[in-house]
Amino acid sequence: MTTSSVYAQRRAQLVQHLGAKGIALIPTAPEQQRNRDCDFPYRPDSYFYYLCGFTEPHAWLVITGDGRSTLFCQPKDPQREIWDGYRLGPEAAPTQLGLDAAFSVADLDAKLPALLDGCDAVWIPFAIHKGLETRLETWLASLRARVRYGALCPQTQRDLCGVLDEMRLVKDPHEQAILRSAGKISAAAHIRAMQCCAQMLRTGQEVREYHLEAEMLHEFRRHGAQFPAYGSIVAAGANACVLHYRADRGRVQNGELVLIDAACELDGYASDITRTFPANGQFTGAQRTLYELVLAAQTAAVAATRPGARFTDPHEAAVSVLAQGMLDVGLLDKNKVGSLQDVIEQRAYFPFYMHRTGHWMGMDVHDCGDYTEPSEIGQVSQRQDALTGDTIKDRPARILRPGMVLTIEPGIYVRPAYGVPEAFHNIGIRIEDDAIVTPTGCELITRDVPVAVDEIEALMRG
Ligand SMILES: [Mn+2]
């Protein structure tokens, strides 16, 4: 299957939802200025890219219920191309991208009213593109001005995100292949950073968090990945207890752990890996105790990730292992918090484990897709949260199906506090892998970098 037929297939699937007289308008992302004369590196909008694979800015895709796809893109311009680079241009776009027609983006205002004429519903992604609604209103107003001459205005506007989110939630083979490649590159980067860290310490060099970040970025780019998929976290020692810490200039000390949550984006698809390792390549007893606990929680969560299970099942499996472990190692005092069941019900584990065990992953690292099962959306139950007292509305969680992709990332974070064993103070551990749900269970696509204590120690040993 050619790449352009992958996109054609997705557009055909979308057309099924639009209705014969529907029309969908999908702009790509705007360029974003970073500071004077400098833009952020350009990345196309995920929905737009998903439907046509086109990466230039200033482009719109229009898909109509009769199955036709029209692209509006930057016109050829020899002068601008000297400065900004090659443009595909509307003449070459239909053949190159497998579309029915293409025009200059400068013709949008002239062409859109005619394309909207006679349509019954306009589908746009709601609340994503600033100014889109205003732009659409201009086109609708100019169409309405012509009703006397027989023009027909659409009656409804509908959110395109719902339909596309459902499609994007289940990854096709083309997407799964890119996700696997992204996972491999990111895994190699983690190994590189681990080995570099131990090597530098062995040779008496000063190690800073940014040294390890640099190794990660080097490895991403070396294999063709365009960007990091999100802001890299490289946290030495106590910094690992700050969940959204960024790679900074903290000193990596012999004897401490390092937590790295960093991964690349390849051809529009994210990966998301966290590893926690001893800076010098050897876990201490206390580090190992907590690490093995988080790993056991991850193993339980992986086992719970299979078709037919709920999205929340891996989280509940991880929480159960972590909570029991917290009682066993003395992070929680049985005399104060009671049994395992009490710990879970009262969320007594929360000071040490305060985030969810995973999220959807795809083009966006926190990918789109409903976390509630669509067929059970009406089954709402209410409960009081044990910690905050807030009323929480629970709806049945999404049922996992083959092709869904999610992260599995339990952790434990111990800030110094009265009553918490001192040996565990300032230890922060997270282990994160990316899983594709398969017909029988799940495939971990990021395990080229190991998680077992002895395997990590082995690869960091000279
Ligand atoms: Mn993640």
Side-chain angles (χ1 to χ4, degrees):
M1 195 146 81
T2 66
T3 307
S4 74
S5 68
V6 167
Y7 300 113
Q9 202 174 60
R10 294 179 192 153
R11 292 195 300 273
Q13 200 185 333
L14 173 61
V15 164
Q16 305 291 309
H17 296 272
L18 298 182
K21 290 183 177 177
I23 183 169
L25 312 180
I26 309 112
T28 194
E31 291 176 298
Q32 301 274 9
Q33 195 180 57
R34 183 175 183 277
N35 58 341
R36 187 197 307 256
D37 285 353
C38 296
D39 286 346
F40 282 106
Y42 183 71
R43 183 190 185 275
D45 174 75
S46 295
Y47 293 119
F48 176 89
Y49 183 83
Y50 179 76
L51 293 169
C52 67
F54 188 53
T55 54
E56 287 182 28
H58 305 292
W60 290 60
L61 185 64
V62 177
I63 302 174
T64 43
D66 60 3
R68 283 179 63 83
S69 299
T70 305
L71 180 75
F72 290 84
C73 63
Q74 300 178 107
K76 293 297 282 181
D77 182 338
Q79 279 308 313
R80 282 320 313 168
E81 290 181 51
I82 288 171
W83 290 89
D84 302 331
Y86 173 79
R87 293 178 176 185
L88 180 60
E91 293 77 15
T95 317
Q96 183 76 31
L97 301 171
L99 303 166
D100 298 294
F103 302 103
S104 165
V105 70
D107 296 339
L108 259 185
D109 288 336
K111 299 256 182 216
L112 253 292
L115 279 167
L116 289 163
D117 188 358
C119 293
D120 58 4
V122 190
W123 296 73
I124 55 169
F126 283 9
I128 290 189
H129 301 277
K130 277 216 163 62
L132 172 58
E133 287 82 359
T134 313
R135 201 91 198 260
L136 176 60
E137 278 168 19
T138 313
W139 299 328
L140 292 173
S142 87
L143 185 57
R144 193 172 284 161
R146 295 180 48 247
V147 288
R148 268 174 291 159
Y149 308 102
L152 290 172
C153 286
Q155 300 295 305
T156 50
Q157 290 180 29
R158 299 196 59 180
D159 187 10
L160 196 57
C161 295
V163 172
L164 288 175
D165 289 354
E166 280 302 295
M167 287 172 60
R168 282 175 54 188
L169 183 54
V170 175
K171 276 67 177 172
D172 60 38
H174 175 81
E175 298 183 285
Q176 292 186 22
I178 304 172
L179 287 164
R180 283 190 193 93
S181 300
K184 279 190 178 300
I185 295 169
S186 299
H190 276 268
I191 290 180
R192 185 187 177 105
M194 286 178 189
Q195 291 181 328
C196 171
C197 185
Q199 172 69 21
M200 285 177 78
L201 286 179
R202 265 197 299 274
T203 54
Q205 296 175 67
E206 184 181 89
V207 183
R208 299 271 175 178
E209 291 163 343
Y210 57 74
H211 288 130
L212 304 182
E213 183 193 21
E215 295 299 318
M216 303 290 299
L217 297 177
H218 178 87
E219 193 71 12
F220 297 165
R221 198 65 186 118
R222 193 164 94 82
H223 293 286
Q226 290 83 355
F227 312 105
Y230 51 95
S232 305
I233 297 173
V234 178
N239 293 339
C241 295
V242 180
L243 293 183
H244 291 159
Y245 186 81
R246 288 295 169 93
D248 201 10
R249 49 176 296 109
R251 179 94 185 264
V252 178
Q253 308 275 7
N254 209 327
E256 286 184 341
L257 291 175
V258 182
L259 182 154
I260 299 184
D261 183 347
C264 70
E265 177 180 305
L266 176 70
D267 299 338
Y269 286 83
S271 48
D272 189 358
I273 304 182
T274 309
R275 289 292 182 270
T276 310
F277 58 91
N280 62 14
Q282 278 238 288
F283 285 89
T284 67
Q287 291 166 353
R288 190 185 177 120
T289 298
L290 290 192
Y291 185 91
E292 300 271 24
L293 171 55
V294 175
L295 184 55
Q298 201 210 25
T299 304
V302 169
T305 304
R306 50 189 161 67
R310 300 275 175 177
F311 174 80
T312 41
D313 288 351
H315 179 66
E316 281 163 19
V319 162
S320 178
V321 172
L322 288 172
Q324 182 62 56
M326 288 172 198
L327 291 167
D328 294 343
V329 304
L331 280 175
L332 294 174
D333 181 350
K334 288 180 188 68
N335 298 319
K336 290 189 183 137
V337 296
S339 68
L340 172 63
Q341 201 188 335
D342 296 328
V343 170
I344 293 171
E345 275 173 16
Q346 300 301 314
R347 288 208 291 144
Y349 59 83
F350 198 74
F352 307 109
Y353 184 48
M354 59 299 277
H355 60 77
R356 303 286 286 186
T357 305
H359 50 81
W360 304 132
M361 192 194 75
M363 304 191 73
D364 301 317
V365 64
H366 290 178
D367 209 31
C368 60
D370 228 320
Y371 286 90
T372 299
E373 180 60 25
S375 62
E376 299 171 345
I377 217 144
Q379 299 176 32
V380 192
S381 58
Q382 287 200 357
R383 65 180 167 86
Q384 300 288 117
D385 182 83
L387 292 182
T388 62
D390 293 347
T391 303
I392 309 271
K393 280 187 178 171
D394 279 325
R395 292 190 169 84
R398 191 88 198 204
I399 295 171
L400 299 179
R401 284 197 288 143
M404 290 179 175
V405 175
L406 63 156
T407 65
I408 305 174
E409 48 177 312
I412 211 163
Y413 312 90
V414 186
R415 287 170 176 274
Y418 179 75
V420 174
E422 216 166 302
F424 299 135
H425 283 190
N426 293 316
I427 292 180
I429 294 166
R430 179 164 64 256
I431 306 171
E432 174 176 32
D433 284 287
D434 306 338
I436 301 178
V437 180
T438 64
T440 53
C442 72
E443 172 193 349
L444 299 178
I445 59 174
T446 44
R447 278 293 174 88
D448 282 9
V449 52
V451 290
V453 163
D454 52 343
E455 288 177 66
I456 288 175
E457 290 187 341
L459 76 86
M460 293 182 72
R461 215 172 280 142

